[in-house]
Amino acid sequence: MKNNMKGIIQLALSILIFILFHFFCWKVLGLFGFYPEGMIYEIMNFIKYTLITVIVFVIYYGNIKHGQSRFNKTLLNNIIYSVACFVFLIIITIILHEVLNYIGSSRGIKIGYNFTNYFNQKFTLSFALNLIIECIFIPFLLCVVFPLGFSNIFKRSGTASILSGLTYGVIVAISYNSSFEYALYHALTPAAVIMLLTYLYKTNQNIASVIVTYIMYVLIGVFAINYIL
């Protein structure tokens, strides 16, 4: 019960911190008449995600340190494991997209893969900042808050996986701010990915492996998709 309460507090704090920074940061600045644009916005957005990442890192420091230690002890095995998990996620993503597009075609719904090819873009400061946010900070935050956060509360693999995936799916669906059907179709794959990442974490209790897996998924997923298709 004590561990569950600690997990609940950690998860609640992480989500609260993310909401406060992500949704109210610019509104607070607007109250003072400050509306950043261009490179100023990019830099401040980077600072925002840096602060969120540092705070969440501190909240889950014990789990992250333990995961990093285990990852480094058997580095080669964990890298192979992460690569295998990455391939598995790509295959599941392709299958889900094919099924969803087949079902949604009659309703005029088409789902893209939404991967970004970071290797064919011009290197600028703006690109570098966004690359770090999208390929390091966000994967870290998603893996720590959802797979790790829910696993600390729910001991059963199935319960933790389903609830983390469902919660993330709801958040993604709401962010689309569109019809229920459209949001549902586009939220299913992200929800399934988080669900699988949570299950992977429960199987080896190594959050570092999960983070590395998801970073590969975001960073080079586009190449894997193009190669397979």
Side-chain angles (χ1 to χ4, degrees):
M1 182 65 183
K2 183 179 179 181
N3 289 335
N4 281 359
M5 184 56 64
K6 179 183 177 182
I8 292 170
I9 293 172
Q10 287 175 315
L11 183 61
L13 276 176
S14 299
I15 293 175
L16 179 62
I17 290 297
F18 183 80
I19 290 174
L20 288 176
F21 274 91
H22 189 69
F23 293 104
F24 295 104
C25 174
W26 309 122
K27 291 183 180 180
V28 171
L29 291 175
L31 294 176
F32 296 94
F34 185 58
Y35 301 94
E37 297 179 353
M39 186 51 64
I40 298 298
Y41 172 85
E42 300 287 355
I43 293 173
M44 293 193 67
N45 191 49
F46 179 80
I47 294 173
K48 179 189 76 174
Y49 272 101
T50 301
L51 290 173
I52 297 173
T53 302
V54 169
I55 294 171
V56 171
F57 176 85
V58 171
I59 292 173
Y60 287 99
Y61 176 74
N63 296 104
I64 296 168
K65 183 180 179 181
H66 175 70
Q68 183 183 13
S69 177
R70 289 190 61 189
F71 189 86
N72 291 338
K73 281 182 179 179
T74 53
L75 184 61
L76 182 59
N77 288 341
N78 282 312
I79 290 175
I80 294 172
Y81 176 82
S82 295
V83 172
C85 291
F86 159 71
V87 173
F88 178 67
L89 285 182
I90 290 295
I91 293 172
I92 294 298
T93 299
I94 292 173
I95 293 173
L96 280 173
H97 274 74
E98 291 297 321
V99 171
L100 290 172
N101 279 325
Y102 177 78
I103 298 173
S105 60
S106 61
R107 296 172 172 79
I109 298 176
K110 183 173 178 59
I111 303 169
Y113 283 101
N114 296 322
F115 285 105
T116 301
N117 187 344
Y118 296 99
F119 298 93
N120 69 349
Q121 299 187 36
K122 184 178 179 181
F123 188 86
T124 62
L125 177 59
S126 176
F127 167 75
L129 295 177
N130 285 314
L131 178 67
I132 295 172
I133 290 172
E134 295 171 9
C135 297
I136 297 178
F137 289 166
I138 291 179
F140 172 85
L141 290 170
L142 289 182
C143 290
V144 170
V145 173
F146 291 96
L148 176 57
F150 279 83
S151 294
N152 282 352
I153 300 172
F154 304 100
K155 302 308 176 186
R156 292 179 179 270
S157 299
T159 304
S161 300
I162 291 171
L163 290 179
S164 66
L166 181 62
T167 303
Y168 183 65
V170 170
I171 293 172
V172 171
I174 292 173
S175 70
Y176 276 100
N177 193 28
S178 59
S179 68
F180 172 79
E181 187 178 43
Y182 182 90
L184 176 64
Y185 272 80
H186 284 78
L188 283 174
T189 300
V193 168
I194 293 297
M195 190 181 301
L196 290 170
L197 288 172
T198 305
Y199 184 79
L200 292 173
Y201 172 71
K202 295 294 282 187
T203 60
N204 72 349
Q205 295 293 308
N206 191 334
I207 191 60
S209 294
V210 176
I211 294 172
V212 171
T213 298
Y214 195 55
I215 287 176
M216 287 192 292
Y217 180 81
V218 173
L219 185 61
I220 60 175
V222 61
F223 297 108
I225 294 291
N226 291 336
Y227 178 78
I228 295 174
L229 298 182

